[in-house]
Amino acid sequence: MEQGFYKHMVTPSLAVLEEQAAENTRLLEEMNRKWDEEREAERKEKLSTHIPAPLKASGQELGDVMKHLEELIVYENYSEEEEDKTKFIKARLRHLDENAQVAAVAHSLAAYVSMLEPTHLKTFTDKIIEDTTLWVSSLFRFKDASAYFHTEEREGFVRVLRLAIHEKYPRFSSDGYEALYSRPPVIYISAAAKPGLGQYLCGQLGLPLSCINTVPCLTASRYQHRIDVAALEKLISDDIASAKTPVLVLAYAGTPALGQVDNIQKMREICKKHSIWLHVEGNHLACLTLFSVPTNVSPAKTGNSMTLNLAGWLGLPAVPYVTLYKSSDHNLVQLSGLASHNVEYKLICLPLWVCLQNMGHQGVVDRVKACVDMAKVAYEKMKPYSTLKMVLIFEIVSPSVVFRYTGEREEDKEKAPYAVKGEETRDVAPYANTSKKLNGEEELESEEVPVSSEIITQAYCDALNLWLAETLKREVPKVELETTDVINEGTCIRFAPLETAHVYETTTEDIEKLGKSLRKQLSILDATVRHKEIFHDVVEAQDNFRLVDVPNWAGLGAVQYIPDMWLDKLHDLPPAGKAQINHLNVEILRQLKSSDTAFSLGRTDQDVYIRFGLITEDTDMEELIGLVYTVAMEVEESSKYVEEMAEVVRKGIEKANEDLKKENDEKLMQEGVLRQVPGFSFLANWWSPPAKEPGIKGRTFNLSSGKIASTEETYKYHMQIQENNPEQRQSTARKGPLKANLKPPKRRSSETLQDHVSGHESRASTASTASVESSKAGGDQKATDVNSEATEVN
């Protein structure tokens, strides 16, 4: 019986307790483990506070990393904090051609090859360096040269300069800068070199700035930015006489800004005479690969060294710069850092080694020749325009085009060859001049107005060139144009296909589009420049207009409207007056922009003014200014009306309060004092009931007439009675031509003005009236988009 008890009662209970104890033990161990993990995680978190979030713990999933990388590439302004992707600007990604793809693959191969065994890797890199050096020196006709591959543009120049110093100062490697003390070195660079080049060289070599001697350029406009060889020879002679040592001369086969080619032949003769190192740079060096080398570039192969930008010239991504140099002293080459023993560093030329074999000589020639041909086509498209100055003159072959809009026209040309006809530019309806028909075709007639140099300043031309460059780039995005500041010229526009054509995939068809766009934009600029003086004359003749000088505004100009009450106080204008004038001009612009985009708002620290944009050939200047003047008068008149009404309303409210107080007093006298006392009012009203109609009436104020009336009739008849007001204010209608509101210009003679006005009227008075009537019917028609696109350069 006892065994049965244990078997059926005690044993099962103990088994259950054992299972529960094991489960509880497991739960406790699990809790302890989690607590330990949490404590360990907290400890690691405290110890890794200095680690950036993307690198903490075990990193991120590769898919997330690649997605982040893709977004950084696709969007220019990508930000992880911004969730709205519509605010991101999509980047302009380049399509990789076959050679660019080969270069990208070769970079990956270089990373893989770097993992080879050291002996194998050294043999491999030596072969790559040897082949690439031979091929590049042969392509550029620079025989028996060594090559230095570098990623920074000026690094090769610094190292060949160090080599030239070692050759001039044999004890420089042992004595250091003490070897330079007795006869300091001199480096000659052109005044057309990139800014800061001399400081960079001295900073890299530890030389004082006195070692840099800047050689002036020729003053003739056709050869500006070309080094003055006579001045160079004189500077060298003077330095030698002053116990200095000329070390290196920098020559340009295509200056950075204009692409001018120095007289390398004469410079080489001078350097050879005085044993000076000659280093050559510039885009024109790419022409050395052509079958027929230009005569002004050919002497470059006789120099001591040259730097080549193969990545830009051939359109190969991330390909290094190559500096070719000639030196027979291997020890000096080692001391100068031109020969590196770092095999991993030598692998940067592997993509170039692969791409040159893939392209071949003909492929290199085709790419360079295509860029030269595009520059020539662009030059031919721009050359006929008299208002364009070709800053860089084509002599033989040039891969660059530099031009500037000046607004000056040749006297023997009555009309520019690019004058735009009516159908090529949208009409400026409210201000359009009349036109006459010839052979069923409308042709605009432009009045030839002499341009004053006082009005068309260099700063103004700079602004026009900036606008022209931006507009052309927007209309022909595949043609990359850049603006550059040229001494004695100003802001110029530069097209260098060797640097940009491969990146933007520019073709000859794009150059044709550029020519058409240029023709259209030049007609707009010409019209604006020719009418600018008329604009000044007409605006200065108006009492309420004040010309605002905004030299960096690419448009007709800027004006500020002055109300009559402040005309005599402009010299001592109080702050309240300035605020009122500014507010009035803002309101005028708001009214103008509601129907036309030709105007914009300009601001200074204290003033607000209205800017006139660019105009087209068919714009009637007096009508355009008349529109602004008419709107300004209407806004001023409306402002005065609002001020008058504010005063009337104030007085009306005061009078209504007085009447209501008077009626309240009369009611008190009529009803008696007892009706106002609580308790007695009930007895008084029972004894003598009050009248059914209340004694106090409300007041109405008529904004049209300015009169106050009782509301008795309104409550009596339950309707408002409108009083006829013969003096009700009528809105001013714009009748007739808007220029009729203007005063005649003062600066021009009456005879010239009469000829100008009669010229417009005689062309077609009927059509002029029709254009004004059409402007009434369609007041919301836009003048032209170009007016709103004029840009101000800060």
Side-chain angles (χ1 to χ4, degrees), residues 312 371 374 478 495-507:
C371 295
M374 278 190 285
K478 286 191 175 183
F495 172 51
L498 263 178
E499 300 175 3
T500 61
H502 302 298
V503 176
Y504 293 93
E505 303 174 15
T506 311
T507 62

Side-chain angles (χ1 to χ4, degrees), residues 94 97-100 313-316 359 362-372 374 498 502:
R94 175 189 171 187
D97 59 11
E98 180 183 355
N99 292 287
W313 300 344
L314 304 180
L316 303 176
M359 296 174 65
Q362 188 61 49
V364 174
V365 171
D366 290 343
R367 293 207 166 201
V368 175
K369 191 174 186 304
C371 295
V372 172
M374 278 190 285
L498 263 178
H502 302 298

Side-chain angles (χ1 to χ4, degrees), residues 1-18:
M1 184 175 178
E2 183 176 357
Q3 292 179 354
F5 175 77
Y6 278 101
K7 180 178 179 181
H8 294 91
M9 297 294 294
V10 177
T11 302
S13 299
L14 291 176
V16 172
L17 290 174
E18 185 178 359

Side-chain angles (χ1 to χ4, degrees), residues 318-495:
V319 166
Y321 293 90
V322 182
T323 295
L324 299 177
Y325 61 93
K326 296 178 181 179
S327 178
S328 58
D329 195 330
H330 185 71
N331 292 330
L332 296 182
V333 171
Q334 292 283 351
L335 291 173
S336 304
L338 289 168
S340 175
H341 295 289
N342 188 339
V343 291
E344 287 82 3
Y345 184 76
K346 292 180 180 180
L347 286 173
I348 64 173
C349 70
L350 178 59
L352 183 59
W353 182 83
V354 176
C355 292
L356 287 179
Q357 293 182 81
N358 184 57
M359 296 174 65
H361 180 216
Q362 188 61 49
V364 174
V365 171
D366 290 343
R367 293 207 166 201
V368 175
K369 191 174 186 304
C371 295
V372 172
D373 291 343
M374 278 190 285
K376 184 177 180 181
V377 172
Y379 180 83
E380 295 298 331
K381 293 288 182 184
M382 301 170 187
K383 186 178 179 181
Y385 301 146
S386 59
T387 51
L388 279 185
K389 179 180 180 181
M390 305 308 298
V391 183
L392 175 62
I393 306 298
F394 268 55
E395 292 182 340
I396 304 174
V397 173
S398 177
S400 301
V401 179
V402 183
F403 61 96
R404 170 179 169 84
Y405 179 80
T406 61
E408 300 176 358
R409 304 171 64 90
E410 296 180 9
E411 296 179 355
D412 57 342
K413 292 186 178 181
E414 297 180 358
K415 189 175 182 181
Y418 43 85
V420 176
K421 297 182 180 180
E423 64 272 10
E424 296 182 16
T425 305
R426 280 167 289 181
D427 294 333
V428 187
Y431 338 109
N433 275 333
T434 59
S435 60
K436 67 178 182 178
K437 289 189 175 182
L438 291 174
N439 300 325
E441 222 176 330
E442 280 192 346
E443 290 191 3
L444 299 174
E445 287 194 4
S446 61
E447 180 182 359
E448 296 296 334
V449 180
V451 179
S452 172
S453 60
E454 299 177 357
I455 297 177
I456 311 302
T457 61
Q458 179 171 331
Y460 179 66
C461 285
D462 290 345
L464 293 180
N465 280 275
L466 289 172
W467 177 89
L468 178 60
E470 292 178 4
T471 305
L472 292 175
K473 285 195 292 185
R474 184 171 58 252
E475 294 198 350
V476 193
K478 286 191 175 183
V479 178
E480 176 64 15
L481 302 174
E482 65 174 353
T483 55
T484 179
D485 291 330
V486 180
I487 300 176
N488 300 328
E489 293 290 345
T491 300
C492 298
I493 303 174
R494 179 173 177 264
F495 172 51

Side-chain angles (χ1 to χ4, degrees), residues 161-290:
L161 175 56
R162 185 180 287 116
L163 175 60
I165 293 176
H166 276 289
E167 288 188 353
K168 282 289 185 179
Y169 298 91
R171 298 180 61 84
F172 180 64
S173 58
S174 59
D175 297 347
Y177 293 104
E178 293 182 359
L180 312 178
Y181 181 76
S182 59
R183 296 183 65 88
V186 183
I187 305 156
Y188 302 90
I189 62 175
S190 171
K194 290 183 178 180
L197 177 61
Q199 290 84 341
Y200 177 81
L201 296 175
C202 292
Q204 292 295 312
L205 298 175
L207 299 175
L209 290 177
S210 58
C211 292
I212 301 297
N213 203 335
T214 303
V215 184
C217 297
L218 297 174
T219 57
S221 59
R222 183 172 180 177
Y223 302 109
Q224 57 179 329
H225 277 219
R226 184 179 296 184
I227 200 168
D228 189 344
V229 178
L232 171 64
E233 190 169 15
K234 185 177 185 303
L235 288 174
I236 293 175
S237 301
D238 293 345
D239 288 336
I240 294 175
S242 302
K244 295 181 180 180
T245 303
V247 173
L248 181 142
V249 174
L250 173 62
Y252 279 110
T255 53
L258 294 187
Q260 289 278 11
V261 180
D262 292 332
N263 193 336
I264 302 177
Q265 180 64 39
K266 290 187 177 180
M267 295 176 69
R268 179 55 188 162
E269 294 174 359
I270 295 173
C271 291
K272 188 175 181 180
K273 176 182 177 182
H274 298 282
S275 300
I276 303 174
W277 188 285
L278 178 63
H279 181 74
V280 187
E281 292 183 355
N283 288 336
H284 285 64
L285 290 176
C287 297
L288 290 173
T289 62
L290 300 176

Side-chain angles (χ1 to χ4, degrees), residues 550-568:
V550 189
N552 54 354
W553 170 247
L556 276 174
V559 300
Q560 186 182 49
Y561 183 81
I562 309 296
D564 293 333
M565 63 179 298
W566 299 112
L567 283 177
D568 299 332

Side-chain angles (χ1 to χ4, degrees), residues 674-688:
L674 291 178
R675 292 184 186 274
Q676 314 302 322
V677 179
F680 289 96
S681 61
F682 175 77
L683 182 63
N685 291 336
W686 174 78
W687 181 265
S688 177

